[in-house]
């Protein structure tokens, strides 16, 4: 399974842009949702996902008008092949039913098995003292 790579410049730019992602991030950050750690604009393979809970291998994506069904389908297939569960919400769902979106994520976290034996997605480099 490929490791989650360091942040790429595209992800860094996305983090700085305001948008509906910021609103959801305010509910997910700092272990606010059932004490689960989420990453914002995390890189997995060649993709930058909106939100990632490594412990539960859960990816949450917010889709706006810039998304294409075929591109999203390929992206989801790749992420699922890597062992991730993908939840997708339209931006309008978040705007119109913020509490419902957060509750759906909470329920998915409650029903997804933890993966405590999963190696760190960002292992330390094998260099330095002793090598």
């Amino acid at each position: 399974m490929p490791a989650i790579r360091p942040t790429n410049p595209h992800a860094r730019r996305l983090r700085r842009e305001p948008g509906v992602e910021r609103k959801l991030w305010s509910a997910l950050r700092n272990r606010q949702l059932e004490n689960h750690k989420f990453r914002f604009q995390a890189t997995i393979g060649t993709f930058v996902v909106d939100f990632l809970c490594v412990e539960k291998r859960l990816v949450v994506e917010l889709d706006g008008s810039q998304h294409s069904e075929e591109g999203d389908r390929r992206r989801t297939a790749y992420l699922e092949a890597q062992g991730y569960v993908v939840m997708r919400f339209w931006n309008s769902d978040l705007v119109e039913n913020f509490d419902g979106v957060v509750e759906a994520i909470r329920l998915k976290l409650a029903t997804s098995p933890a993966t405590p034996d999963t190696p760190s997605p960002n292992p330390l480099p094998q260099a330095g003292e002793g090598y």
Side-chain angles (χ1 to χ4, degrees):
M1 170 178 346
I4 297 171
R5 298 187 330 221
T7 302
N8 70 31
H10 178 63
R12 201 170 294 122
R13 181 183 56 77
L14 288 171
R15 283 193 194 120
R16 290 191 301 262
E17 291 180 359
V20 294
E21 289 94 353
R22 288 274 179 211
K23 184 173 182 177
L24 185 55
W25 182 232
S26 70
L28 299 179
R29 66 182 301 174
N30 297 327
R31 297 185 179 270
Q32 293 180 86
L33 191 60
E34 303 294 320
N35 201 35
H36 290 287
K37 169 104 174 122
F38 276 87
R39 295 178 186 180
F40 181 45
Q41 301 296 339
T43 304
I44 301 175
T46 61
F47 297 107
V48 177
V49 299
D50 292 330
F51 304 96
L52 170 64
C53 177
V54 174
E55 174 190 7
K56 295 289 189 159
R57 302 198 58 79
L58 176 65
V59 170
V60 178
E61 294 275 70
L62 296 179
D63 297 337
S65 59
Q66 77 281 8
H67 285 262
S68 73
E69 279 188 44
E70 182 56 33
D72 288 345
R73 192 176 4 258
R74 281 194 309 267
R75 178 184 180 99
T76 297
Y78 172 82
L79 294 169
E80 289 175 344
Q82 304 308 308
Y84 294 94
V85 173
V86 179
M87 295 182 77
R88 289 189 170 280
F89 300 96
W90 286 105
N91 289 348
S92 58
D93 293 337
L94 188 69
V95 170
E96 296 168 11
N97 188 12
F98 178 79
D99 292 336
V101 169
V102 172
E103 180 63 11
I105 297 168
R106 188 191 68 72
L107 289 172
K108 182 58 82 174
L109 288 167
T111 59
S112 296
T115 54
D117 297 332
T118 301
S120 171
N122 295 316
L124 295 173
Q126 296 298 311
E129 190 173 316
Y131 287 93

